[in-house]
Amino acid sequence: MPDLEVDAEARVVQPFSYRGSSATIVFGNGARRQIGDQLDALGCRRALVLSTPAQKQDAERLVAELRDRVTGTFAGAAMHTPVDVTEAAIEIVETSNADCVIALGGGSTTGLGKAIAYRTDLPQICVPTTYAGSEVTPILGQTEAGLKTTLRDDRVLPEVVIYDPELTIGLPVAMSVTSGLNAMAHAVEALYAEDRNPISSLMAIEGLRAFKTALPAVVADSGNIEARSDALYGAWLCGTVLGAVGMALHHKLCHSLGGSFNTPHAETHAILLPHTAGYNAAASHEPLKSVAELFGDSAGRALFDFAASLGAPTSLRVLGLTEASLDAAAEIAVSNPYDNPRPFDQKSIRDLLQHAWAGQRPEH
Ligand code: NAD
C-alpha cells in the first residue's frame, strides 16, 4: 500500500480518501442539559430512555428532567447486545409509540440503541458514561444463541452524541482505566490501519495524548473533573477513528476471546493491547513511532508499563482463561483472514497469547 502519512520532512501529502461523520457532537460539563434542545432539533417528542439495570436510577433522573418529552425507560441493556433484549426493547418502543431513543450509559447501552435504530430507523441521542467509543461508530455487535456477529451500517450511527464529563465521575477507577485502554486500542490500530488518512492519524495521536494525561489523574483522584473531561475527549477521538478506518489483529483477537471464551470486553482489550502493539511494532516502527514518542519507549513495552502503572490487569490468566484454552483461541483467531501490518500464523498468535496469558512485558 502507499504511505498515506504526511511526510514531515518534505511536507508532501500522500493520496488518501476521507469521509467525515454526520453526527452532531455536543461536549462539555452540564451538556446533558442540552438533550431537550437536541430532541427539538430532531423533531422528537416521545423519547424512550435506555440504560443497564445498574444505571436505571440515572435513566429515571433523566426522565424526570425531560418531563413530557419522554415516554419512559427501558433498563435492560446488557453486554454484547443480546437480540432477545433488543426485541423486548422494541416491544416497549412500539407500545409507547416512542419516536426516538436516548441511550444513557456505556457501550452496552449504546449497542442497544444502535440495535433498535438498525431495526426501526428511529433517531438516537447517545449520552456515553464510559470511554468505549461506540457512540461514534457505525458498527454494531450483537449476540444470538451464543454467537456474536458484527455489522457496519450507517443506520446505526447515532444522530447526536452528548458528552458530559460530569456523568463519568461515578465510573469506578478500575473500569475507567480498562475502558480508557479499550479506547486507546482503537487509536493504536488506527495508526497502522491500511486505510488510515492524515485526519484519522491526527485524531488517534491526540486521543492517545489525552488518555496519557487523563488516566493517571483519574487514578489519583476519581473526582478530578478536568481529567474526566480529558478522558471523555480522548474517548470521542478514539471512537471516531474506530468508526473511520479498519481495525486489525488486536480487535480481531479481542473479538475471538470475548466471543468464544466470554472474557470481559474492556479488560481483554487492556491486557492484549501491549502485546498486539509490540507484535506489530517489531515489524514496522514507522506507524507506531508516535506511540513510542508519546510514551517514551517502544510501543508494546511503553503501553505495558503505562497499563501496569494504572493498576490495570496485565495477564489473561486473571480473567480466568485457562492455559489449555490458548491453542483453541489461536486457532479461532486465524480462522478468518484479515489485514494486519505484520503477517501472522497460528504459531505466532499462540506465542503472543502465551505472553499475554502469563503477563510478560513485551519485547518491542
Ligand atoms: P458497559 O456499557 O457494559 O458498562 C459496564 C457497567 O458499568 C454497566 O453495568 C454500566 O451500567 C456501568 N456504568 C457505565 N457507566 C457508568 C458510570 N459512569 N458510573 C457507574 N457505572 C457505570 O461497558 P463498556 O465497556 O462501555 O461497553 C462494552 C460493550 O460495548 C461491549 O458489548 C462491546 O462489544 C461494546 N462496544 C462496541 C463498540 C462499537 O463500536 N460497536 C465499541 C466499543 C465497545
Side-chain angles (χ1 to χ4, degrees):
M1 63 161 287
D3 184 357
L4 298 176
E5 249 91 77
V6 179
D7 182 332
E9 295 295 312
R11 306 302 301 166
V12 174
V13 181
Q14 300 298 321
F16 66 91
S17 68
Y18 168 75
R19 184 172 171 238
S21 160
S22 58
T24 297
I25 308 294
V26 182
F27 189 103
N29 290 326
R32 63 188 178 282
R33 288 188 277 278
Q34 295 184 42
I35 296 175
D37 291 346
Q38 293 298 328
L39 283 170
D40 292 344
L42 289 170
C44 295
R45 310 183 62 84
R46 297 180 58 79
L48 179 68
V49 180
L50 311 172
S51 76
T52 60
Q55 287 178 286
K56 190 169 193 270
Q57 279 188 347
D58 299 332
E60 283 168 350
R61 202 168 308 125
L62 188 58
V63 169
E65 280 165 23
L66 292 170
R67 292 194 294 261
D68 55 356
R69 287 181 168 112
V70 288
T71 63
T73 61
F74 177 86
M79 187 79 94
H80 303 310
T81 328
V83 168
D84 56 346
V85 172
T86 302
E87 286 168 354
I90 287 179
E91 260 188 62
I92 307 292
V93 165
E94 285 168 356
T95 52
S96 63
N97 204 16
D99 60 4
C100 77
V101 292
I102 300 175
L104 173 70
S108 297
T109 307
T110 305
L112 175 60
K114 287 173 156 185
I116 294 171
Y118 181 63
R119 290 163 177 79
T120 63
D121 227 0
L122 284 184
Q124 310 165 66
I125 295 183
C126 204
V127 190
T129 61
T130 70
Y131 308 130
S134 173
E135 63 281 352
V136 278
T137 81
I139 305 164
L140 168 63
Q142 308 182 90
T143 44
E144 189 165 27
L147 207 71
K148 182 164 179 176
T149 53
T150 302
L151 60 86
R152 189 180 264 268
D153 190 304
D154 282 348
R155 261 177 302 175
V156 309
L157 184 74
E159 279 72 6
V160 178
V161 184
I162 307 270
Y163 285 108
D164 187 339
E166 287 171 4
L167 295 176
T168 64
I169 290 282
L171 187 65
V173 167
M175 279 174 62
S176 303
V177 166
T178 51
S179 188
L181 292 167
N182 179 188
M184 288 171 66
H186 311 330
V188 170
E189 288 229 296
L191 288 172
Y192 54 64
E194 206 182 20
D195 55 350
R196 65 188 182 272
N197 60 65
I199 300 295
S200 64
S201 295
L202 282 171
M203 291 184 96
I205 293 167
E206 176 68 354
L208 291 169
R209 186 211 58 74
F211 277 118
K212 181 186 175 234
T213 318
L215 291 181
V218 167
V219 170
D221 172 9
S222 66
N224 179 336
I225 192 65
E226 285 83 17
R228 290 291 188 180
S229 191
D230 232 9
L232 203 56
Y233 168 62
W236 168 58
L237 292 161
C238 295
T240 300
V241 297
L242 167 66
V245 298
M247 296 288 113
L249 177 66
H250 174 81
H251 280 73
K252 304 296 175 185
L253 263 185
C254 291
H255 186 94
S256 302
L257 288 181
S260 304
F261 300 95
N262 209 22
T263 58
H265 180 84
E267 288 87 339
T268 306
H269 274 272
I271 293 164
L272 281 178
L273 177 61
H275 298 277
T276 51
Y279 182 84
N280 283 325
S284 141
H285 280 291
E286 200 47 40
L288 291 178
K289 213 170 81 185
S290 39
V291 178
E293 282 168 5
L294 257 179
F295 288 87
D297 197 343
S298 90
R301 284 196 305 256
L303 289 167
F304 184 88
D305 293 345
F306 182 63
S309 74
L310 300 169
T314 51
S315 84
L316 290 174
R317 188 174 36 193
V318 303
L319 300 187
L321 194 71
T322 63
E323 193 169 12
S325 57
L326 298 183
D327 285 337
E331 195 180 335
I332 295 164
V334 297
S335 57
N336 292 314
Y338 42 84
D339 285 330
N340 191 60
R342 180 178 173 192
F344 58 86
D345 56 18
Q346 196 166 326
K347 180 177 180 320
S348 50
I349 296 303
R350 176 68 179 78
D351 289 349
L352 185 160
L353 287 173
Q354 183 68 39
H355 292 145
W357 184 83
Q360 284 165 5
R361 187 174 187 250
E363 268 181 50
H364 295 279

